[in-house]
Amino acid sequence: MATADPEKPGRIKQLRMIAQIIKQANPKGLPIVFLSAVATLAVAVVIGVVIDQLIYSIILGIMLAFTVGLVVFGQLAQRAQYSILHGQTGAAAAVLQGMRGNWQVTPAIAVNRDQDLIHLVVGAPGVVLVSEGPGNRVAKMLAAEKKRVARVVLGVEIYDIQCGDGEGQVPLGKLQRHIMKLPRNLKKPAANEVKDRLRSLPKNMPMPKGPMPKGARVPRGPKTR
């Protein structure tokens, strides 16, 4: 019989931890969750009075209020977690590793003296190179890595994305969604073949100074179709 991992927090403890993160990032967050649920229930009660189905509306309203509260709670948790990661070395890698589906993420395949990073992602779109750092510094890095990767994956589409807050860059909180919207150029077997080819691609630099984000509970994006 399987035993629970004593180091893994239970569901209630996890919710409490996430609630603390929300409270820290946005003191109004938890009241917003509560008010959204109460407002949903209130609307259901009003509708029940109007249509003379109060009991049925209250039961339905409680279920809807719980659902709405969870949705709002999840959205606020996602924003809070992104705000905690923002500015950390390797934040983009933590977000990329939270994507659902047939993705392979290799963090920090390139780094420069300013600790700008390039991460490698392989999935249905093909190969995606994601940078962290100012645009004027990472543009040449991305171009160099694109040429290096292209030698290994001939004929496969390669995308380059700059993650950051500068002009033309993709903000950290929108990175998952941006990648999920890329065209689906490869079926799963072909994507797996590309992953196998890229496993032989060596890192051309030392690991960045300072710790990469570890254990960050980044919300997972939607599953790949």
Side-chain angles (χ1 to χ4, degrees), residues 18-151:
I18 295 173
Q20 288 297 321
I21 293 174
I22 294 174
K23 186 176 180 180
Q24 180 182 355
N26 181 8
K28 297 180 180 179
L30 295 179
I32 290 173
V33 174
F34 177 75
L35 289 174
S36 64
V38 171
T40 301
L41 179 58
V43 170
V45 170
V46 170
I47 293 174
V49 171
V50 171
I51 66 174
D52 196 23
Q53 294 288 337
L54 184 58
I55 302 299
Y56 175 77
S57 294
I58 289 175
I59 295 173
L60 181 61
I62 291 173
M63 292 187 292
L64 288 175
F66 182 74
T67 301
V68 170
L70 282 179
V71 170
V72 175
F73 183 83
Q75 291 176 342
L76 291 173
Q78 187 179 59
R79 293 176 189 173
Q81 290 161 336
Y82 283 138
S83 70
I84 291 173
L85 285 172
H86 190 272
Q88 292 191 46
T89 301
V95 170
L96 293 169
Q97 288 170 327
M99 293 192 301
R100 289 188 177 185
N102 187 36
W103 301 94
Q104 175 179 288
V105 179
T106 306
I109 64 167
V111 65
N112 62 16
R113 67 182 65 183
D114 297 303
Q115 299 299 292
D116 302 324
L117 301 170
I118 304 290
H119 309 299
L120 175 69
V121 183
V122 184
V127 177
V128 186
L129 297 170
V130 181
S131 68
E132 294 184 41
N136 60 338
R137 293 205 307 247
V138 298
K140 290 184 179 180
M141 287 179 66
L142 279 170
E145 286 305 305
K146 197 168 185 177
K147 288 181 180 179
R148 193 167 75 100
V149 170
R151 298 191 191 103

